[in-house]
Amino acid sequence: MVIVKRKILSLWERLYLPEVLRGLSITFRKMFEPRVTRQYPEEGLPTDGVTRGQPRLVVKDDGNIACVSCGLCEAACPAYAITIDGQETDRFIEREPERFDIDMLRCILCGFCEEACPKDAIYMSNELELADYTREALAYDMEKLKRPASAMRERMDYVKKINDRW
Amino acid sequence: MSDAQAQLLVMFIKAAAIYGGLLGCAALMTLAERKFSAWMQYRIGPNRVGPWGLLQPLADGVKFIFKEEVTPDGASPWIFRLAPLMAAVPAMLTVAVVPIGGEFQLFGVTTQLSITNLDIGALYVLAIGGLGVYGVILGGWASNSKYSLLGGLRASAQMISYELALILGILSIVAISGSLDLLQIVEGQKGTFLGFLPDWNLFKQPLAFVLFVVATFAETNRHPFDFAECEPELVGGFHTEYSSMKFALFFLGEYCAMIVMACLTVTLFLGGHAVPYWADAPWWIEAGAFSAKAGFFLFLFIWVRWTLPRFRFDQLMHLGWKVFLPLSLFNLFVTGAVISL
């Protein structure tokens, strides 16, 4: 059993008004301290490599998509959000996606696709905002998912660092 | 323009200006309340409507007008409609006797910057101000809701308890200035006290001042004495069942009551429109001084609200009857004894 001892107040404290004035002085000082409000639509959310936003496809520096449409991410996806159709290409890697769709309404942002990918082709970007007027508009196709590697660099480096631990 | 016409015109202009000012201030107070509370909590406060959110009260007003009016089943229809008016109107009426500034000339009429000047101004303020409690208790009773009824009952018990301290505080001032006329009370506070302080009743009656200011908080149902609303236990207290413009009227009444109480505190204890060390200041400087002093007390209302937690109801009653009443009686007794000696 816990016995809470009630503090015996001194006369000064029992007068109440001095303590009120002390409280008032505190709230007055707080009025001039910096604000913590983030004015969201104007000020974006802070992101860094740890941010696991929406998955995006990496476009390499030579302009080609890194994906070879192996289908591992499609298989790893627990929400069945990814649909891939592959096709042949003249490039050295021989295969590339003809169609790469992610239904962003199905995506649960788990990052399994990122882990599954053997070609560093899909990464969880720092894009967090997802809103539109129709369901169709949120079923993203390949064109909407492509991002240059430079935009994903921070996340790529972070994932590489984490994976290097094993 | 004849003399009588000019006087009538001046009367109308003064009434329009003072009531416009009162309602404008009440609207701005809703914004100030939110702004200051935000700043004290490291937030920014409303800033979307107009510069610094200055049009926020307007937006709130429009919103209130377009809200659905809900009348609860079993509510007493007429009293339910009447109660918000009874809460708002007395608070607005009391401002009529508060002297805001000194004499000035308009259309050849010399007049005082107050709507009227009664020789029993202090009595009038108490009489009309005391009516405000009817709006609250009738609103609570007519809503046919247990929360409203409890809120109304608490409000009435609290207002009656603290009105005693309020009246005794005013009586001490009346005793030392020898008049119920608010203008006379202000005139009596011009000059200096002990050679260097302005001759304000605050310095002659410090105990009465403290008691009066605390009692004004209780009278206007403000924190830490807002038992009439008491969100945690009573949902919203007496205005739980009110919506739309009726709800807004209750709030208007509350803010008008705050403004009137601030004006009254300034008039009684802080020399009203008297400017310290400048006896013959022009009327607009006096009005400015009055506004500055009243503004401080309005800020104090907000400041205290966002600092202190609410009392418990038994603590409130204990404070009112066992501390404030004896102290104010003691103060009045000492005042009387000193004056008669």
Side-chain angles (χ1 to χ4, degrees), chain A residues 150-163:
Chain A
S150 57
M152 314 275 279
R153 182 57 59 195
E154 205 177 0
R155 176 69 182 177
M156 288 160 85
D157 291 344
Y158 173 76
V159 172
K160 191 165 182 297
K161 195 182 86 190
I162 294 295
N163 289 347

Side-chain angles (χ1 to χ4, degrees), chain A residues 1-18:
Chain A
M1 195 168 77
V2 181
I3 297 173
V4 180
K5 286 246 168 59
R6 186 160 288 198
K7 193 191 167 208
I8 297 179
L9 300 176
S10 64
L11 177 69
W12 184 252
E13 286 166 329
R14 268 185 294 135
L15 267 178
Y16 197 60
L17 276 178

Side-chain angles (χ1 to χ4, degrees), chain B residues 199-278:
Chain B
D199 191 12
W200 293 349
N201 288 334
L202 164 66
F203 302 115
K204 294 179 190 163
Q205 291 278 0
L207 183 60
F209 173 71
V210 171
L211 295 176
F212 185 87
V213 169
V214 177
T216 55
F217 279 82
E219 274 298 289
T220 48
N221 287 322
R222 292 285 297 182
H223 272 258
F225 305 113
D226 67 332
F227 290 92
E229 302 180 28
C230 221
E231 289 93 348
E233 319 130 55
L234 294 181
V235 193
F238 63 97
H239 57 57
T240 305
E241 306 293 345
Y242 280 92
S243 54
S244 182
M245 217 45 206
K246 287 199 232 105
F247 175 78
L249 267 180
F250 271 123
F251 260 70
L252 192 67
E254 182 183 322
Y255 283 105
C256 284
M258 276 163 62
I259 292 168
V260 167
M261 281 301 175
C263 290
L264 208 58
T265 315
V266 169
T267 308
L268 293 172
F269 289 94
L270 265 77
H273 56 253
V275 186
Y277 314 118
W278 190 5

Side-chain angles (χ1 to χ4, degrees), chain A residues 54 87 103 111 150-151:
Chain A
Q54 299 163 22
Q87 68 180 11
D103 187 345
S150 57

Side-chain angles (χ1 to χ4, degrees), chain A residues 16-17 19-20 23-25 27-28 30-42, chain B residues 36 38-44 47-48 210 214 224 299-300 303-304 306-309 311:
Chain A
Y16 197 60
L17 276 178
E19 295 295 306
V20 167
L24 287 178
S25 77
T27 41
F28 193 76
K30 298 294 174 199
M31 279 176 48
F32 303 101
E33 286 186 20
R35 318 268 175 255
V36 296
T37 307
R38 174 173 296 116
Q39 308 221 42
Y40 167 60
E42 291 94 8
Chain B
F36 284 125
W39 291 347
M40 285 170 192
Q41 297 166 354
Y42 307 138
R43 293 184 290 110
I44 294 173
N47 64 350
R48 298 285 146 157
V210 171
V214 177
F299 174 64
L300 187 70
W303 189 10
V304 166
W306 297 100
T307 304
L308 298 182
F311 274 65

